[in-house]
Amino acid sequence: MGNVVQRRTRGALRRCPFEVCGNMAGLELLSDQGYRLDGRKATELRKVQARMGVFAQADGSAYLEQGNTKALAVVYGPHEMRGSRSRTRHDQAVINCQYSMATFSTAERKRRPHGDRKSTEMSLHLKQTFEAAVMTQLYPRSQIDIYVKILQSDGGNYSVCVNAATLAVIDAGIPMRDYVCACTVGFVDETPLADLCYAEESGGVSSLALALLPRGGQIALLQMDARLHQDHLEALIEAAMTACKGVSKVLDEVVRQHLQEVSVLTGE
Amino acid sequence: MKTQYCFKKRLRLYSLFIVVMLKSKTFVKKTRSGGVMKIVREHYLRDDIWCGSEVCTECKQESTVLQRDACIESSLCSYPHYLIPDTNVVLHQIDVLEDPVIRNVIILQTVLQEVRHRSAPVYKRLKDIVHEKEKHFYTFTNEHHRETFIEREPGESANDRNDRAIRMASKWYSQHLKTSETGADGLKVVLLTNDQGNKQKAEDNGLLVYKCEEYIKSLIANPELVDHLALSNDEKNEITSSKVLFPEHLPLSKIQAGIKSGSFLQGTFRASRDNYLEATVFVQGEGEDSTEVLLQGLQNLNRAVHQDVVAVQLLPRDQWVAPSSVVLQDEGAAKDDNAEEEDEEKETSFSVKPTGKVVGIIKRSWRPFCGMLNVAQIKESTRHLFTPADRRIPRIRIETRQAATLAGQRIMVAIDGWPKHSRYPNGHFVRSLGSAGEKDTEQEVLLLEHDVPHQAFSQAVLSFLPKMPWAITPEDMVRREDLRNLTVCSVDPPGCTDIDDALHCRELENGNLEVGVHIADVSHFIRPGNALDKEAANRGTTVYLCGKRIDMVPELLSSNLCSLRSNVERLAFSCIWEMNHKAEILKTRFTKSVINSKASLTYAEAQMRIDDTSMNDDITNSLRGLNKLAKILKKQRIEKGALTLSSLEVRFHIDSETHDPIDLQTKELMETNSMVEEFMLLANISVAQKIYDEFPDCAMLRKHPPPPPSNYDILLKAAKSKEVEIHTDSAKALADSLDVAKVDGFPYFNTLLRILATRCMMQAVYFCSGMDSDFHHYGLASPIYTHFTSPIRRYADIIVHRLLAVAIGADSTYPDLMDKHKQSALSNNLNYRHKMSQYAQRASVAFHTQLFFKSRGILNEEGFVLFVRKNAIIVLIPKFGLEGTVFFDTKDKAAPNLVFDEEVPSLKVEEHTFCIFDKVKVTISLDASNVQHQKIRMALIEPVIPGVSVPAPDVGPQAKKPKLDR
Ligand SMILES: [Zn+2]
């Protein structure tokens, strides 16, 4: 199961960022001693911090930081279909995702926070990811809205959004098959690097984003824009799955801690 | 995995790794649009970075690099110690660090990064040292260590911050090693820095710190190390007078601003080989257009050294000059401070070029140079001038106590710096190569000077060779055609042991001909990415010198398993065509195969078989068929406009015992030479098309760009002087006009013209098809071309084999093969190696020519004027394929009246005018007065010009006589 999205925009890729990238002359992404630019080793994730239930009005919400990438996810629903009825599905709920970036999220102010091609594509990917994870058949003829906003961008935007949205969906009490955890991995000097930061992503690394349902090891979404020799693909996916499992552990802890707090509050 | 956290709990925190502290680094960077961008970057500080020392019990390291017994006899440090050099010590004293005596050194990450940033060659050397196990160099990642990372303070410069980081790490080490129960051993760390301020601060912090010189001089047992020391700044001051000889170099920031605003140009400095006061700077423009800026005079050259990247400023247009076309050598003995020894000839010639001056150095490309010491006249002096073998490199002042031993030896010297009040750069002695003039020494010199990797193959490389005895296994036969029954034979020059091609031709039942080119299947033995492959990729090509071959792959492959010798089974990669009798290709196919060559012939033997009508065996018939088709192919190719140019190739007959050249002969070309060549060209073109069709992005091809029209000037002028017209609009026009260029009574004219045309050509280069759009091969008049036929001696062919093997499904691909950037980088290395190997080959021929003439005494020969210079003519002696210069303004004689006309070009010496193609008679002798630059000296005999020409020597007996007398 699961969707594998392969973007093949060949014309654009031909003149791909490589020619201008600074990888060769510029930064050494992985030192001989095995350290990355920010001091991590190849398989180490960035620090993940998260909080659930940050907004009272929404059905579910979560805030998640993965290094310097920060995202806010809000979930409404499941509720009755709004807008055009034609999209209504009689056997399952429709998932509606909207991705946007705050104008202040990048170093240079963003002109269009949402609605551009990239955001539309990202929204679509999120939708596909959550269609694979949420048990939509439990809510026929209804709709679930997931809104994700990147507050600060430092690489791995898609993955951070997925992780934040997972927590928000759980917060909303919508059943899922499993946590859906995502991670971006890259390939440098024959070594897969887990959880790329912006400096690495822009350093000319072939990167791959993977969303995983960790318990069953099912892939919800796999996305890769760069060219990579097929010999390396397996190692890279392997590394991505390991990283996703790492993320799922952290998310699991967040959820358990949240539940404890809530139960203390409600006095159970 | 253990989880620890110790950050403030703003939110609930979860962490997965042993990172202990998190820092945000914020810095400001300019964006492309000119704005300012704030960059926030995370920085994880760790607790799991170990010290690397054998004595430590605290760190949980698996293996250690630094030894317990770090003893070196020093009068300053009587205790065992580790060295921590700072960035400048590494940059300037890398020769010292490379010495086997220096061990147990800690290289800090801060230092490593700074070195990487400032000098790529030193960085590479440093990494090589770190990889060497015996050196015990340990890299300490101090920038990611929780206790050694420091933040830049407000107002602190990046340099100061790094110096502080180095002190911080040294401090950490000294404390760390103290606490680890080995206090008794008294193991200490010693910081080496040449910076006075840094040293002072380190002392204040209670660190052990010495200047590099101080420390090296204290090594009692190893006094020779002192010679490797680079001269430091203080010492330079005392050597030279305070007189400033050169303008100051601008700082990098000003240079960058100047380049941006267009007031300066950036380019590669190319010193002139002939005139030490002249150089050009090659400025790469947008796309194809590039300019050359002329520089004249020491002041304007301003301490730039050949191959440096410099910034130049153009002079006002009225100060532009033309290249001087004087041959001028810096012969002055150690007349140090005499700056204005030459009166610069200012000429208001017609073809003035953009002229400029060097305002700053962007990047030095200094390497160790081979050469010889000019021992100073003053006894006991320790400062001497060193003359590099490469005339484009200025002389270097070095300090050594071994001058007496080093005189007469070839040595290597590295430049350390060039202060503005010093006529010459300062350097230091690196190592000795042996006595000058000896064949082995000279060979070593020319290999080093041309950057030819020539060390014996390492054990790691050899370990990837097939185990002997080797035989073809059934697995080898999978995806391979059995062609052992074909009548295949090879045709090569005599004595060839690395046979990489073999041919066959047979008639098919349908009346057509089947022609096969079989190339040694080297890629079967050399697998991608292993040490053997990497070594071959680095070497790039086999280098052929007179009497010596420097192999690209180990001999077991080059002369045995891959060599397609007769009557043994060999693996091959075959290109097989079906052709009709008009040599039109009907079908092409490629296959890996097994062949069994029936004969290894020389060109002469093959020619004899073809010509001998009494022979009618399979081999001979096959050769005749090939020869017939080759003639048609050649005709077609020439009709399309392929050029046949000429260069005189000289072969030495070398005495098998003494390895001295005993005779020399220009190469003779036979029909069979061109027969083999035709089929190699055809195979290369067929393969090029195939791999390009299959891999449009990453095919390795070879192109030959057409020369810019101005390159032909000299050819056109020369031809015009004989009233011959040459058309250069296209390769075809050029070929045709060369074909009809004839002068009555001057049969050698056409050859000379072709030699001149060769000099106008551009270099053919390898490139990756995904990175270029122009594939045309000008010389061969082919729209696409590559190298497939010599994988034993060229690495490009191995890549092409791998591509072709993937294309036909005979082998699997690997990542680097499909990566156009890696391919492109590889092509650049191959182009460089090919160029250097050609130069090395030429230098070797020149050296052997000298040896030859040394044994012959003075000869007199006929020759032709090939070029005319302002004060000399360059003469070609066809008999020896030798070029030499006849100078008219020798130092010991009053210069004759010389008038140079660039338009013709011609040189009037007294009453006689020399033009290109003039026939002259000259004496040839070896001038050994300068051991380092022994040269062939030519003097004019005919035409007789009173006061200039010399009487013809009585050749025969005179040459022998001196020998008999002694
Ligand atoms: Zn330790």
Side-chain angles (χ1 to χ4, degrees):
Chain A
M1 65 161 282
N3 306 296
V4 175
V5 178
Q6 231 189 351
R7 242 208 289 173
R8 289 187 61 99
T9 43
R10 248 198 123 175
L13 277 179
R14 279 286 181 88
R15 257 165 282 118
C16 143
F18 260 130
E19 261 96 349
V20 283
C21 88
N23 191 14
M24 281 139 209
L27 302 164
E28 189 183 40
L29 295 176
L30 187 67
S31 77
D32 283 359
Q33 289 72 42
Y35 296 106
R36 292 156 68 175
L37 290 173
D38 54 10
R40 285 184 289 156
K41 290 194 173 172
T43 55
E44 287 172 351
L45 305 176
R46 290 179 286 180
K47 184 170 54 111
V48 181
Q49 312 178 83
R51 187 156 76 172
M52 291 166 70
V54 286
F55 291 129
Q57 295 95 327
D59 294 316
S61 61
Y63 169 78
L64 186 134
E65 286 185 21
Q66 200 160 335
N68 278 334
T69 304
K70 302 173 182 178
L72 192 61
V74 177
V75 171
Y76 294 97
H79 54 75
E80 243 176 79
M81 285 296 294
R82 290 190 195 126
S84 78
R85 301 256 157 199
S86 58
R87 289 189 301 134
T88 310
R89 308 276 295 264
H90 295 280
D91 52 346
Q92 62 179 74
V94 170
I95 291 182
N96 170 40
C97 284
Q98 200 183 80
Y99 165 89
S100 63
M101 283 176 88
T103 49
F104 49 80
S105 62
T106 49
E108 278 178 282
R109 206 179 81 91
K110 262 196 100 64
R111 300 256 153 69
R112 271 187 89 172
H114 61 91
D116 57 334
R117 241 193 60 208
K118 240 177 140 184
S119 303
T120 313
E121 188 184 14
M122 192 71 97
S123 303
L124 185 69
H125 287 169
L126 287 172
K127 178 178 155 77
Q128 287 170 329
T129 310
F130 281 92
E131 276 172 355
V134 174
M135 302 179 81
T136 47
Q137 72 276 16
L138 298 179
Y139 307 102
R141 282 183 291 276
S142 48
Q143 174 179 349
I144 299 168
D145 296 319
I146 303 175
Y147 298 100
V148 198
K149 196 170 192 105
I150 288 285
L151 302 176
Q152 183 173 309
S153 162
D154 184 32
N157 288 357
Y158 164 78
S159 311
V160 176
C161 287
V162 170
N163 298 335
T166 299
L167 293 181
V169 170
I170 293 172
D171 190 39
I174 300 169
M176 292 207 285
R177 294 186 171 84
D178 190 0
Y179 293 105
V180 51
C181 303
C183 198
T184 315
V185 290
F187 201 76
V188 166
D189 292 341
E190 317 283 301
T191 318
L193 302 185
D195 193 12
L196 301 183
C197 67
Y198 178 74
E200 291 168 330
E201 265 185 355
S202 59
V205 182
S206 308
S207 71
L208 174 153
L210 179 108
L212 188 76
L213 303 178
R215 260 182 301 174
Q218 294 128 318
I219 293 174
L221 189 121
L222 174 71
Q223 185 213 333
M224 174 138 188
D225 290 355
R227 295 170 69 126
L228 180 86
H229 196 273
Q230 63 179 27
D231 286 10
H232 296 322
L233 187 63
E234 203 175 319
L236 199 56
I237 292 181
E238 193 62 40
M241 288 172 85
T242 314
C244 288
K245 284 174 189 160
V247 172
S248 89
K249 256 186 222 155
V250 184
L251 298 189
D252 192 54
E253 266 183 78
V254 176
V255 172
R256 283 173 201 285
Q257 190 124 8
H258 179 68
L259 284 177
Q260 245 168 28
E261 280 170 27
V262 174
S263 46
V264 169
L265 282 179
T266 53
E268 278 171 35
Chain B
M1 213 185 301
K2 207 174 137 200
T3 318
Q4 289 182 333
Y5 357 91
C6 71
F7 11 73
K8 269 182 242 149
K9 280 208 167 180
R10 268 184 301 135
L11 297 156
R12 268 161 267 137
L13 307 169
Y14 304 91
S15 170
L16 260 187
F17 24 85
I18 35 185
V19 163
V20 167
M21 212 158 88
L22 180 68
K23 290 259 173 194
S24 270
K25 280 200 275 190
T26 311
F27 50 97
V28 172
K29 192 182 142 189
K30 269 213 180 122
T31 61
R32 229 177 303 165
S33 53
V36 174
M37 191 159 107
K38 193 167 129 194
I39 293 177
V40 180
R41 204 186 270 167
E42 278 189 303
H43 193 168
Y44 294 88
L45 299 179
R46 324 180 58 105
D47 262 354
D48 62 343
I49 296 173
W50 316 127
C51 68
S53 168
E54 221 169 53
V55 299
C56 179
T57 49
E58 228 172 274
C59 295
K60 298 172 203 71
Q61 46 208 348
E62 277 156 19
S63 62
T64 54
V65 175
L66 300 164
Q67 293 169 296
R68 176 181 300 273
D69 178 28
C71 281
I72 181 167
E73 215 177 318
S74 162
S75 59
L76 283 175
C77 320
S78 52
Y79 34 81
H81 55 274
Y82 300 149
L83 292 174
I84 303 184
D86 79 353
T87 312
N88 277 316
V89 169
V90 172
L91 282 173
H92 296 131
Q93 308 292 1
I94 186 82
D95 284 326
V96 174
L97 293 178
E98 272 174 351
D99 196 285
V101 174
I102 304 292
R103 281 177 290 145
N104 292 300
V105 176
I106 298 161
I107 301 295
L108 302 178
Q109 185 194 7
T110 315
V111 173
L112 197 65
Q113 279 172 353
E114 278 193 296
V115 169
R116 180 173 184 269
H117 191 65
R118 298 207 0 218
S119 165
V122 175
Y123 179 67
K124 190 178 174 294
R125 286 165 75 183
L126 185 61
K127 273 176 84 160
D128 286 348
I129 304 178
V130 171
H131 283 296
E132 217 173 292
K133 286 231 156 43
E134 286 78 52
K135 291 286 284 172
H136 300 282
F137 272 50
Y138 180 69
T139 316
F140 181 64
T141 311
N142 63 315
E143 297 284 3
H144 297 321
H145 193 291
R146 185 163 62 102
E147 286 166 25
T148 55
F149 172 77
I150 55 160
E151 259 177 298
R152 189 163 153 187
E153 280 164 2
E156 191 177 36
S157 77
N159 268 336
D160 288 345
R161 184 254 161 219
N162 286 344
D163 281 347
R164 194 156 61 83
I166 293 168
R167 291 197 299 273
M168 185 72 192
S170 309
K171 182 105 192 157
W172 180 85
Y173 256 104
S174 60
Q175 279 164 0
H176 181 77
L177 292 177
K178 215 181 279 168
T179 53
S180 35
E181 61 178 292
T182 50
D185 287 15
L187 196 62
K188 295 189 165 75
V189 288
V190 172
L191 177 64
L192 293 183
T193 178
N194 288 333
D195 182 287
Q196 189 56 48
N198 192 15
K199 186 173 176 227
Q200 189 58 49
K201 282 181 193 145
E203 276 167 357
D204 294 348
N205 286 348
L207 292 172
L208 283 165
V209 54
Y210 294 108
K211 287 201 167 182
C212 192
E213 282 86 339
E214 238 176 350
Y215 177 79
I216 297 299
K217 282 178 186 156
S218 82
L219 301 178
I220 319 147
N222 304 88
E224 74 284 352
L225 263 183
V226 175
D227 277 2
H228 295 312
L229 272 178
L231 295 181
S232 78
N233 273 319
D234 322 353
E235 270 171 303
K236 281 174 209 158
N237 290 338
E238 43 179 279
I239 298 175
T240 44
S241 64
S242 55
K243 198 167 90 184
V244 172
L245 295 174
F246 294 103
E248 190 94 47
H249 285 151
L250 294 179
L252 212 52
S253 56
K254 276 201 183 149
I255 293 175
Q256 275 160 351
I259 290 171
K260 211 170 231 172
S261 71
S263 51
F264 302 153
L265 296 169
Q266 172 177 345
T268 311
F269 183 89
R270 291 180 183 167
S272 157
R273 211 181 278 272
D274 295 331
N275 183 343
Y276 77 102
L277 289 176
E278 196 170 280
T280 51
V281 170
F282 182 80
V283 179
Q284 183 76 50
E286 301 268 315
E288 292 294 294
D289 85 300
S290 49
T291 45
E292 270 194 344
V293 179
L294 183 70
L295 307 172
Q296 272 188 351
L298 284 178
Q299 292 274 318
N300 293 340
L301 300 182
N302 197 3
R303 294 171 282 155
V305 177
H306 186 62
Q307 290 291 339
D308 285 351
V309 180
V310 298
V312 288
Q313 184 177 24
L314 288 181
L315 298 174
R317 210 168 259 271
D318 57 325
Q319 291 177 33
W320 287 12
V321 292
S324 65
S325 63
V326 174
V327 180
L328 202 58
Q329 281 157 31
D330 189 3
E331 303 268 11
K335 43 180 172 182
D336 257 9
D337 303 309
N338 187 358
E340 47 288 295
E341 42 203 298
E342 308 79 22
D343 43 331
E344 275 170 51
E345 293 162 74
K346 276 271 158 69
E347 270 203 68
T348 44
S349 163
F350 0 63
S351 64
V352 291
K353 278 193 159 185
T355 309
K357 60 177 182 189
V358 171
V359 292
I361 309 284
I362 295 165
K363 195 168 151 276
R364 291 287 193 187
S365 66
W366 291 344
R367 60 183 169 95
F369 300 103
C370 295
M372 287 182 75
L373 207 60
N374 309 32
V375 178
Q377 255 82 34
I378 315 145
K379 246 190 180 176
E380 274 95 48
S381 169
T382 56
R383 297 198 175 108
H384 307 272
L385 269 186
F386 162 85
T387 310
D390 187 338
R391 282 204 218 99
R392 292 167 299 190
I393 307 297
R395 291 193 288 164
I396 304 164
R397 187 187 291 104
I398 68 164
E399 194 169 335
T400 175
R401 262 152 260 215
Q402 320 169 49
T405 357
L406 295 182
Q409 291 195 3
R410 292 280 199 169
I411 59 170
M412 293 190 81
V413 159
I415 304 186
D416 302 322
W418 197 341
K420 60 177 181 286
H421 40 251
S422 166
R423 168 70 173 79
Y424 298 106
N426 294 321
H428 65 272
F429 167 67
V430 179
R431 68 186 174 105
S432 168
L433 303 170
S435 300
E438 272 178 22
K439 252 196 309 293
D440 290 344
T441 311
E442 296 304 320
Q443 202 145 58
E444 179 80 14
V445 168
L446 76 88
L447 291 174
L448 283 168
E449 275 301 287
H450 296 98
D451 197 9
V452 176
H454 58 284
Q455 298 78 12
F457 289 100
S458 70
Q459 278 309 316
V461 170
L462 296 175
S463 72
F464 287 98
L465 291 177
K467 302 287 167 285
M468 295 302 282
W470 174 85
I472 296 170
T473 63
E475 296 93 80
D476 293 341
M477 292 304 294
V478 179
R479 292 189 274 193
R480 222 173 253 285
E481 245 176 88
D482 188 348
L483 303 179
R484 281 176 284 203
N485 54 341
L486 288 179
T487 312
V488 173
C489 67
S490 64
V491 185
D492 287 283
C496 178
T497 61
D498 49 349
I499 305 173
D500 36 24
D501 50 82
L503 298 152
H504 88 272
C505 171
R506 64 172 180 180
E507 194 150 341
L508 296 172
E509 279 167 17
N510 60 11
N512 288 332
L513 293 169
E514 180 192 82
V515 178
V517 165
H518 312 276
I519 306 297
D521 190 5
V522 181
S523 66
H524 175 84
F525 296 100
I526 301 183
R527 301 311 298 167
N530 67 24
L532 176 58
D533 182 47
K534 283 183 181 151
E535 181 68 27
N538 178 39
R539 294 190 178 211
T541 174
T542 293
V543 180
Y544 295 87
L545 303 180
C546 300
K548 191 178 166 88
R549 186 176 87 195
I550 293 114
D551 278 327
M552 178 180 84
V553 297
E555 200 176 359
L556 177 67
L557 292 181
S558 65
S559 300
N560 186 354
L561 299 185
C562 290
S563 183
L564 303 178
R565 297 184 298 189
S566 54
N567 301 315
V568 284
E569 290 180 358
R570 287 288 175 255
L571 302 181
F573 208 149
S574 303
C575 172
I576 299 169
W577 301 279
E578 187 176 334
M579 289 183 179
N580 60 20
H581 287 266
K582 283 185 249 159
E584 289 162 351
I585 299 172
L586 306 172
K587 254 187 228 159
T588 308
R589 71 188 182 91
F590 307 96
T591 177
K592 290 226 173 184
S593 60
V594 187
I595 60 161
N596 190 339
S597 167
K598 302 293 179 284
S600 311
L601 306 173
T602 64
Y603 291 119
E605 284 167 357
Q607 191 68 51
M608 251 165 48
R609 276 173 181 260
I610 293 172
D611 296 344
D612 185 347
T613 47
S614 69
M615 294 187 84
N616 263 311
D617 56 300
D618 280 353
I619 298 174
T620 311
N621 286 334
S622 175
L623 286 171
R624 288 201 186 113
L626 289 166
N627 199 33
K628 202 184 92 193
L629 290 172
K631 282 183 186 168
I632 306 172
L633 287 170
K634 184 167 187 180
K635 195 162 151 267
Q636 289 172 352
R637 214 160 50 78
I638 287 172
E639 274 166 13
K640 271 195 271 166
L643 293 169
T644 42
L645 297 175
S646 198
S647 65
L648 290 173
E649 278 194 66
V650 182
R651 281 183 74 84
F652 286 93
H653 288 269
I654 291 187
D655 189 302
S656 54
E657 271 173 32
T658 61
H659 296 289
D660 284 331
I662 43 179
D663 199 4
L664 134 173
Q665 159 188 79
T666 48
K667 242 187 206 166
E668 211 183 319
L669 287 177
M670 275 171 281
E671 235 177 35
T672 42
N673 284 63
S674 82
M675 170 187 94
V676 174
E677 193 192 338
E678 271 330 301
F679 284 105
M680 295 306 130
L681 293 177
L682 194 64
N684 286 338
I685 293 170
S686 296
V687 171
Q689 193 59 56
K690 174 77 180 174
I691 58 172
Y692 177 63
D693 289 346
E694 206 74 26
F695 305 107
D697 259 8
C698 57
M700 183 172 276
L701 302 177
R702 190 167 172 83
K703 67 170 178 178
H704 183 215
S710 63
N711 274 27
Y712 287 122
D713 283 357
I714 190 74
L715 177 70
L716 296 178
K717 281 181 188 169
K720 206 171 143 208
S721 70
K722 292 283 172 200
E723 275 146 21
V724 170
E725 231 182 301
I726 298 289
H727 301 279
T728 57
D729 329 337
S730 67
K732 171 112 180 89
L734 178 64
D736 289 347
S737 53
L738 282 175
D739 283 344
V740 297
K742 283 195 181 70
V743 171
D744 288 338
F746 189 2
Y748 203 62
F749 173 73
N750 196 275
T751 311
L752 282 175
L753 211 53
R754 284 179 198 272
I755 291 173
L756 279 181
T758 312
R759 307 278 166 96
C760 304
M761 291 300 149
M762 306 284 283
Q763 211 22 269
V765 288
Y766 298 110
F767 67 102
C768 172
S769 60
M771 305 288 276
D772 211 322
S773 52
D774 182 19
F775 297 177
H776 195 74
H777 197 294
Y778 180 78
L780 296 172
S782 173
I784 191 164
Y785 192 67
T786 193
H787 272 162
F788 168 72
T789 53
S790 299
I792 300 180
R793 57 184 179 88
R794 290 188 306 228
Y795 190 76
D797 303 51
I798 295 185
I799 292 291
V800 170
H801 275 226
R802 289 178 182 162
L803 287 165
L804 185 64
V806 175
I808 62 167
D811 207 338
S812 54
T813 154
Y814 61 99
D816 286 4
L817 192 66
M818 298 293 132
D819 183 331
K820 63 177 176 177
H821 301 276
K822 293 216 167 129
Q823 284 263 21
S824 192
L826 178 63
S827 311
N828 290 342
N829 180 51
L830 297 181
N831 290 331
Y832 170 73
R833 294 293 188 203
H834 275 266
K835 192 173 74 190
M836 288 327 250
S837 91
Q838 276 178 7
Y839 291 162
Q841 208 168 333
R842 264 182 240 165
S844 173
V845 169
F847 175 68
H848 281 81
T849 312
Q850 287 163 11
L851 282 187
F852 176 75
F853 282 103
K854 197 174 183 177
S855 62
R856 290 305 167 92
I858 297 171
L859 296 177
N860 75 53
E861 290 294 342
E862 264 182 18
F864 298 97
V865 177
L866 204 55
F867 296 105
V868 180
R869 297 269 184 267
K870 211 185 264 182
N871 59 343
I873 53 174
I874 291 163
V875 177
L876 175 79
I877 314 291
K879 185 172 165 191
F880 301 124
L882 175 74
E883 254 175 65
T885 313
V886 177
F887 286 99
F888 293 114
D889 55 349
T890 40
K891 265 175 271 130
D892 38 344
K893 270 192 277 185
N897 187 19
L898 300 173
V899 182
F900 178 65
D901 182 352
E902 198 179 354
E903 253 327 79
V904 181
S906 72
L907 178 68
K908 195 171 173 197
V909 181
E910 298 290 341
E911 293 309 306
H912 187 88
T913 308
F914 289 98
C915 296
I916 295 181
F917 302 128
D918 283 1
K919 193 185 227 177
V920 291
K921 251 191 197 155
V922 292
T923 66
I924 310 169
S925 61
L926 181 72
D927 176 7
S929 57
N930 179 345
V931 199
Q932 168 143 266
H933 289 289
Q934 294 198 354
K935 48 188 164 227
I936 301 293
R937 181 131 294 188
M938 291 191 180
L940 192 68
I941 307 174
E942 259 174 49
V944 177
I945 305 171
V948 174
S949 59
V950 296
D954 191 3
V955 177
Q958 240 188 10
K960 292 267 154 77
K961 238 187 203 164
K963 275 191 182 166
L964 291 173
D965 284 348
R966 277 166 215 165

